[in-house]
Amino acid sequence: MSWKIKAEQPSRSVVSQRWAVFLCLSSFCLGMIFTNRMWTVPEPRGIARTTAYEAKKLKLVSEGCDSKSLDEKDVKRVSRNIFGEVFKTHNAIQTLDKTISNLEMELAAAKAAQESIQSGSPSSDDLKSSLSSGRRRYLMVVGINTAFSSRKRRDSVRATWVPQGEKRKKLEEEKGIIIRFVIGHSATSGGILDRAIEVEDKKHGDFLRLDHVEGYLELSAKTKTYFATAVATWDADFYVKVDDDVHVNIATLGETLVRHRSKRRVYIGCMKSGPVLSQKGVRYHEPEHWKFGEAGNKYFRHATGQLYAISKDLATYISIHQHVLHKYANEDVSLGSWFIGLDVEHIDDRRLCCGTPPDCEWKAQAGNVCVASFDWSCSGICKSAERIKEVHRRCGEGEKTLWSATF
């Protein structure tokens, strides 16, 4: 029995050693795992950990310090400076070009005024007084187109919407509005018709005499001469043409034009595009109808002739080029043709062509006061000498509105 016990002892010790090694290794591994999970190495104080975003930022900064990158930035900076200088130079050239253009127009207007004085034009008195007293700036010059046979019409206009005497002078001085009846002279200059106008002008002092022979077929030439004479006589923002059988609200007209004061080349009126009439004998027949294409074609857009306004630049353009501007049979078509090809803004304002009562009356009651009123069927107020007072009573803006208006 003793021998058996002794024989079993070596075997038991060997197993114990193997288990000891295994247990040691297992303990070591468990210790490493336990240490990594549970024990965090404290970061040194004062040293911040760099995040991925900050590392990327630092990389970009470091790349920016590269000499090649710096050179590229310098080139971009110089390029921006060059483009900026080029832009400034371009603006300076445009400003200079506009200034030269304005000076050319002023010179042309002054030259036209001087030629009118030297030629002894009937309008030279207005020119002399304007030049001697200095060229003040007006808001608008309103030229009322009239004829030798229209004395009753002129008197009806004076009795309604055109101020008279001291009020007319006040209108010019305080509101900057010039109003004149526009007429030329007869085929026999100095004859009875011209003398009658001279007598009327001495009484009222409200005529602008043109170096022009009156005649219905010469309305295009008269319109051209009017703008050339007006721009040479008065320095204004706008030049208006209106017929003597149309009712006008002056304050409303001024307020309408002021809205477009900043525009250099503007053409304001009731724009239309009527048919080109090729048949002889009809009213508004167009002898040069073939220029507008096939029969049945329409005119280009232009303002109806009862009332329209143009800015100073356009009036000056007419004055400079009046000798080469083509005249069609109808003066409103002629005016529209002169602006084709120019950088002109067309303003279509239907308040410049209202009908007579009840149309203009209803619009006034609704707060939309008309600038001008007339009958389309008569191309003016039918029997205007008798009816314009009624139109004025029902559609007029009121005298207080005119004197309280600020332009």
Side-chain angles (χ1 to χ4, degrees), residues 146-148 181-185 197 207-210 214 222:
T146 191
F148 290 112
F181 288 101
V182 180
I183 196 167
H185 56 81
I197 292 295
F207 278 94
L208 174 64
R209 303 298 303 276
L210 303 179
E214 285 291 324
K222 183 177 181 179

Side-chain angles (χ1 to χ4, degrees), residues 65 73 76 79 83 92 140 162 196 220 295 338 366 379 383 407:
C65 295
K73 287 184 177 181
K76 290 179 180 178
S79 298
F83 284 128
M140 60 180 171
V162 175
S220 293
W338 298 337
S379 296
K383 298 180 180 179
F407 306 115

Side-chain angles (χ1 to χ4, degrees), residues 48-336:
R49 176 179 287 183
T50 304
T51 63
Y53 173 74
E54 291 174 340
K56 187 176 180 182
K57 205 171 179 183
L58 288 172
K59 183 179 179 182
L60 290 174
V61 172
S62 63
E63 288 176 353
C65 295
D66 182 61
S67 60
K68 183 179 179 181
S69 179
L70 289 173
D71 290 341
E72 290 177 354
K73 287 184 177 181
D74 289 339
V75 170
K76 290 179 180 178
R77 190 182 300 111
V78 171
S79 298
R80 283 197 298 268
N81 292 338
I82 291 173
F83 284 128
E85 292 298 325
V86 169
F87 182 74
K88 290 179 181 178
T89 303
H90 180 67
N91 285 342
I93 291 173
Q94 285 186 327
T95 303
L96 182 61
D97 184 57
K98 290 179 180 178
T99 303
I100 292 173
S101 177
N102 288 338
L103 289 174
E104 287 177 345
M105 289 187 174
E106 293 290 345
L107 181 62
K111 184 178 179 182
Q114 189 66 29
E115 289 177 352
S116 181
I117 292 174
Q118 291 175 353
S119 63
S121 170
S123 61
S124 60
D125 291 339
D126 283 326
L127 283 168
K128 289 176 182 177
S129 61
S130 175
L131 293 173
S132 62
S133 60
R135 298 266 290 182
R136 68 155 285 184
R137 187 77 173 214
Y138 294 92
L139 170 62
M140 60 180 171
V141 174
V142 180
I144 306 173
N145 183 41
T146 191
F148 290 112
S149 59
S150 300
R151 174 63 188 265
K152 289 183 178 180
R153 285 185 181 181
R154 289 193 293 272
D155 286 340
S156 67
V157 168
R158 291 184 181 113
T160 52
W161 61 270
V162 175
Q164 294 298 296
E166 293 300 319
K167 288 184 178 180
R168 184 168 61 84
K169 293 181 180 178
K170 182 181 178 182
L171 186 68
E172 296 176 4
E173 295 171 359
E174 295 185 6
K175 306 299 181 181
I177 299 175
I178 303 290
I179 302 177
R180 294 288 189 275
F181 288 101
V182 180
I183 196 167
H185 56 81
S186 63
T188 55
S189 183
I192 187 172
L193 295 176
D194 292 306
R195 290 199 299 270
I197 292 295
E198 290 171 4
V199 171
E200 188 178 346
D201 192 24
K202 286 181 180 179
K203 180 180 179 180
H204 298 284
D206 55 3
F207 278 94
L208 174 64
R209 303 298 303 276
L210 303 179
D211 186 11
H212 164 79
V213 178
E214 285 291 324
Y216 180 77
L217 298 178
E218 297 297 327
L219 285 178
S220 293
K222 183 177 181 179
T223 300
K224 187 164 54 174
T225 304
Y226 158 63
F227 284 120
T229 305
V231 78
T233 308
W234 297 285
D235 182 17
D237 294 322
F238 297 97
Y239 297 85
V240 181
K241 177 262 175 182
V242 60
D243 290 337
D244 60 4
D245 55 356
V246 173
H247 179 269
V248 179
N249 284 317
I250 291 294
T252 308
L253 174 60
E255 291 168 355
T256 300
L257 297 183
V258 163
R259 298 192 192 105
H260 307 288
R261 210 170 199 169
S262 61
K263 302 170 184 176
R264 297 193 52 174
R265 290 174 294 276
V266 64
Y267 174 32
I268 306 170
C270 286
M271 299 296 164
K272 66 175 184 176
S273 181
V276 180
L277 302 178
S278 58
Q279 184 180 354
K280 292 183 179 180
V282 299
R283 192 180 186 186
Y284 305 128
H285 165 64
E286 179 56 71
E288 297 179 273
H289 57 87
W290 61 273
K291 289 185 177 180
F292 299 93
E294 301 299 326
N297 281 355
K298 292 185 176 182
Y299 287 110
F300 41 79
R301 285 282 173 182
H302 61 278
T304 185
Q306 284 82 2
L307 186 148
Y308 49 73
I310 61 176
S311 58
K312 180 186 177 182
D313 277 13
L314 295 183
T316 305
Y317 172 82
I318 293 173
S319 176
I320 295 172
H321 302 286
Q322 58 181 306
H323 300 297
V324 296
L325 293 176
H326 184 70
K327 302 184 295 293
Y328 288 99
N330 301 303
E331 54 97 7
D332 52 356
V333 173
S334 295
L335 184 73

